[in-house]
Amino acid sequence: MKSVGERKGNVVHLTHNDLDAAGCDAIHRMHHSNVFTIWSSVGKFPRLLSALADVDGRGDILSISDLGYFPGAQEVLEKARSNNWRIEWRDHHRWTPDEIASVAERSEYLIVDTETCATGICARDLMPGNSTAGEIARVVCDYDLWKHLDPRSAPLGQVCTIHANLNPVRDRLARGILSDEWIQEKYAEIEKERENAIKKSKRRMVILGSRFRIAFAPLYGYPSETAHAIRDEFFTDIEVVYGKSGRFSIRSKPPISHLIARAFNGGGHPPAAGGTFSFTFIDRASLALTRKNHHFDDLVRIAEEIPLGDGAR
């Protein structure tokens, strides 16, 4: 926050910490002359936004991208506006109409579009008609929306799973570089590590449920790729990859990931979302001994009670 207060430019960009966020930041830097970037996990987003709201905005833009609504966001935005920030928010996660209305009242600009990735929104808004921005958006969306049709997207997405790589990838994207020797080298290193991590997750995995086959596997890195590998090998419908802290990523064939995640203080997209299990010492002991705990049973019950017609809400 001290660095934010001493910033030289007039745009602070608060964004996620993955390839889509790197794409958003590249587009911001193509459009604005001087951007101060803050990479944020979903879990840290409310705290970071609250801290920024306390800093003197000086009439500058506080741009938020690839991060969804959280309870109480409107109060934080009120504080930010009172400190002379101009709020712009571009997101592609699922919001309710009430959430959109409450944030729109307190922002200079808000757009929520679930049909594209956040980079696609930024490219359309900030660099309309620019061919480089359009190409960046196409490749980033290919990875972020789970299309996997462009061979350049997987290496970029994997390289961005390491925080230290976000700035180098962002800088390359801003120059229109979507593949080079450095990206391929980093990707090869990660691929080897990823294979070992996924094998380890599979060894500790359990599959529960009756209506859906729901896999629960510990996270040793690479949540999306772990979920993909489990689905491909075990024909699961829903994959929950959890960390020691209780944070989990969820992927699902039926479009209900975001609905399940909301029941665990999270959110996201219909096919991919995240939430938090409140692990106690007993929960961790149960995991160590049986690979299960009562949170898994709760998630299975919630998932199997969701009418599939509600998946798009």
Side-chain angles (χ1 to χ4, degrees), residues 281-296:
F281 173 80
I282 293 175
D283 292 327
R284 292 187 175 90
S286 177
L287 281 174
L289 294 172
T290 69
R291 294 182 286 174
K292 296 186 289 184
N293 64 52
H294 72 93
H295 295 291
F296 296 177

Side-chain angles (χ1 to χ4, degrees), residues 179-251:
S179 182
D180 65 5
E181 185 175 344
W182 179 86
I183 291 171
Q184 293 302 322
E185 286 178 357
K186 292 296 180 182
Y187 180 54
E189 294 171 5
I190 291 170
E191 278 286 274
K192 183 177 180 179
E193 180 183 322
R194 179 181 64 85
E195 290 176 6
N196 291 331
I198 291 174
K199 287 178 182 178
K200 195 173 178 181
S201 290
K202 287 178 181 177
R203 286 196 294 268
R204 297 291 300 172
M205 177 191 69
V206 294
I207 297 177
L208 306 174
S210 55
R211 181 186 180 197
F212 301 121
R213 283 174 58 81
I214 305 177
F216 294 86
L219 176 64
Y220 300 105
Y222 315 98
S224 294
E225 292 70 26
T226 300
H228 267 301
I230 289 172
R231 185 178 300 182
D232 289 345
E233 183 173 347
F234 298 97
F235 306 101
T236 48
D237 303 299
I238 299 172
E239 301 80 32
V240 181
V241 185
Y242 58 89
K244 292 181 180 178
S245 68
R247 286 285 303 168
F248 68 82
S249 294
I250 181 169
R251 304 292 185 267

Side-chain angles (χ1 to χ4, degrees), residues 9-30:
N10 62 353
V11 177
V12 173
H13 183 210
L14 177 58
T15 189
H16 196 23
N17 55 0
D18 60 4
L19 173 60
D20 198 11
C24 290
D25 201 47
I27 301 296
H28 273 69
R29 289 165 182 263
M30 292 168 68

Side-chain angles (χ1 to χ4, degrees), residues 136-207:
I136 293 169
R138 281 190 291 274
V139 173
V140 171
C141 287
D142 181 74
Y143 183 82
D144 201 65
L145 300 181
W146 285 40
K147 296 178 181 178
H148 297 288
L149 300 175
D150 192 306
R152 297 170 294 179
S153 69
L156 284 168
Q158 287 296 294
V159 170
C160 283
T161 60
I162 297 176
H163 192 275
N165 293 336
L166 289 172
N167 284 354
V169 169
R170 181 269 320 280
D171 293 342
R172 283 169 168 78
L173 294 179
R175 300 197 307 270
I177 298 171
L178 294 138
S179 182
D180 65 5
E181 185 175 344
W182 179 86
I183 291 171
Q184 293 302 322
E185 286 178 357
K186 292 296 180 182
Y187 180 54
E189 294 171 5
I190 291 170
E191 278 286 274
K192 183 177 180 179
E193 180 183 322
R194 179 181 64 85
E195 290 176 6
N196 291 331
I198 291 174
K199 287 178 182 178
K200 195 173 178 181
S201 290
K202 287 178 181 177
R203 286 196 294 268
R204 297 291 300 172
M205 177 191 69
V206 294
I207 297 177

